[in-house]
Amino acid sequence: MPVTVITGGTDGIGRALATTYLDRGHDVLVIGTSAEKGNAFLAGAAAAGAGERAHFLPADLSLVAENRRVIAWITERFAAVDVLILGARFHRSTRAETPDGLESNFALYYLSRHLLSHGLVPLLNRAAHPVVLNFGGAGLTGPPRWDDLQLRHNYPGTGALGHSAALCDLLGVRFTALHREPPIHYVLNHPGVVATSFAGEYDPATAAHVDGLRTSGKPVALAVAQILPFLDSPATGLSAVLEGKALPVDTPAFDPEAAAALHEITEKLLADLPVR
Ligand SMILES: NC(=O)c1ccc[n+]([C@@H]2O[C@H](COP(=O)([O-])OP(=O)(O)OC[C@H]3O[C@@H](n4cnc5c(N)ncnc54)[C@H](OP(=O)(O)O)[C@@H]3O)[C@@H](O)[C@H]2O)c1
C-alpha cells in the first residue's frame, strides 16, 4: 500500500491532498497541532470507508525535537514513504521565537522541512517512485537575508513566510543534488493565493487583509488540480511550479553554491542546538 505523509494535512491544501490520496488507496498520515482538526480528518476518512488507512499524528513541527520524534514514529510504522508533502505553516505579524531560540517561520516553514526531507530519505528510497512536495517560493520570494536568517532586524511580517519559502527553494536544490541515485523527485510549488484558513496571529491591519484573501483566493480544489500532475509525473530531480506552470530552475534563486552553503549553515545550527 503506498504511503503519503502530509505536514499541514489537517487543513487547507494539505487536507485536500490528504483526501485525494486516501481516495487513491494510499495510507495517509496527516500531521498538525490541532487534535480537533486531526480527529475531523479521521472521522471523514472513517465515514468514507477508509478509516483504517487514515492516520493523525499530533506534533508541533516548529520544535526540532518534535520533527525527530515524527521521523522516528514514521520509521517505526511504515516500510516506505511514497509521497511526502511539506505544507505546515503559521503566519505571524510579529516576530516570535520557538523554545529552541529560532525565529518561528524559519523553524516551521524551513527547518522542519529540512529535517523531514533529509530524515525520511531511507523510507523515500524504499518507494518505487518517491516524490517530495515542498510549498517553496518557486524562485519568486528571495533572495534570502544571508546576514540575518533569523530575521532579527526589520522583521517583514507575513513576508517572513516568503523568506522561508526562498530557503525551501535552496533546500530542494541541495536535496536533489545529494539524492540523485536512486532519484527522489522534489517539487517546489507556489500555489498562488488560495482560499484557506491562513492560520496565524495577525495585527489588525494584516487581519483585515488576510480576511480578504480567505474569500478572494482561488478554491482549494483548483490548487490541488494544478499541483497533482507534477506529483503524478514529476520532472527528474528538481522542479518548480507556479499555479500549475513549470518554471525554470536554473535562475539565481536555485544557485547550487548558495544551496550548499545553506545546507552547511543549517547542519551547524542543528549541531549547536542544545538537545531538548
Ligand atoms: N493559501 C495560500 O494562499 C498560499 C499561498 C502561497 C503558499 N501557500 C503554501 O501552501 C501550503 C499550505 O497552505 P494552506 O493555506 O493550505 O495552509 P493553512 O490552511 O493555513 O493550514 C496550515 C497547516 O499547518 C499546520 N500547522 C500550523 N502550525 C503547525 C505546527 N506548529 N506544527 C505542525 N503543523 C502546524 C496546521 O495544522 P494545525 O492547525 O492542526 O496545527 C494546518 O494544517 C503552506 O506551505 C503555505 O505557505 C499557501
Side-chain angles (χ1 to χ4, degrees), residues 6 203 259:
I6 309 182
D203 57 41

Side-chain angles (χ1 to χ4, degrees), residues 172-198:
V173 172
R174 191 61 187 153
F175 184 93
T176 44
L178 290 174
H179 306 294
R180 279 187 214 282
E181 205 46 62
I184 301 172
H185 306 302
Y186 207 103
V187 182
L188 296 161
N189 180 58
H190 188 318
V193 180
V194 187
T196 64
S197 67
F198 284 87

Side-chain angles (χ1 to χ4, degrees), residues 8 10 13 33-34 37 60-61 87 89 109 113 192 194 196-197:
T10 55
I13 307 168
T33 61
S34 162
K37 291 186 199 173
D60 179 352
L61 294 174
R89 60 107 174 239
Y109 205 117
R113 299 175 186 205
V194 187
T196 64
S197 67

Side-chain angles (χ1 to χ4, degrees), residues 148-242:
D148 187 20
L149 290 176
Q150 297 299 318
L151 304 179
R152 289 193 175 89
H153 309 287
N154 300 318
Y155 180 74
T158 52
L161 274 195
H163 183 262
S164 295
L167 302 182
C168 283
D169 289 346
L170 293 174
L171 160 60
V173 172
R174 191 61 187 153
F175 184 93
T176 44
L178 290 174
H179 306 294
R180 279 187 214 282
E181 205 46 62
I184 301 172
H185 306 302
Y186 207 103
V187 182
L188 296 161
N189 180 58
H190 188 318
V193 180
V194 187
T196 64
S197 67
F198 284 87
E201 286 177 9
Y202 301 107
D203 57 41
T206 314
H209 174 66
V210 166
D211 266 349
L213 298 180
R214 287 188 181 113
T215 46
S216 65
K218 72 172 114 165
V220 167
L222 176 54
V224 168
Q226 288 177 331
I227 187 59
L228 280 176
F230 295 89
L231 289 179
D232 293 342
S233 308
T236 301
L238 185 70
S239 46
V241 180
L242 172 67

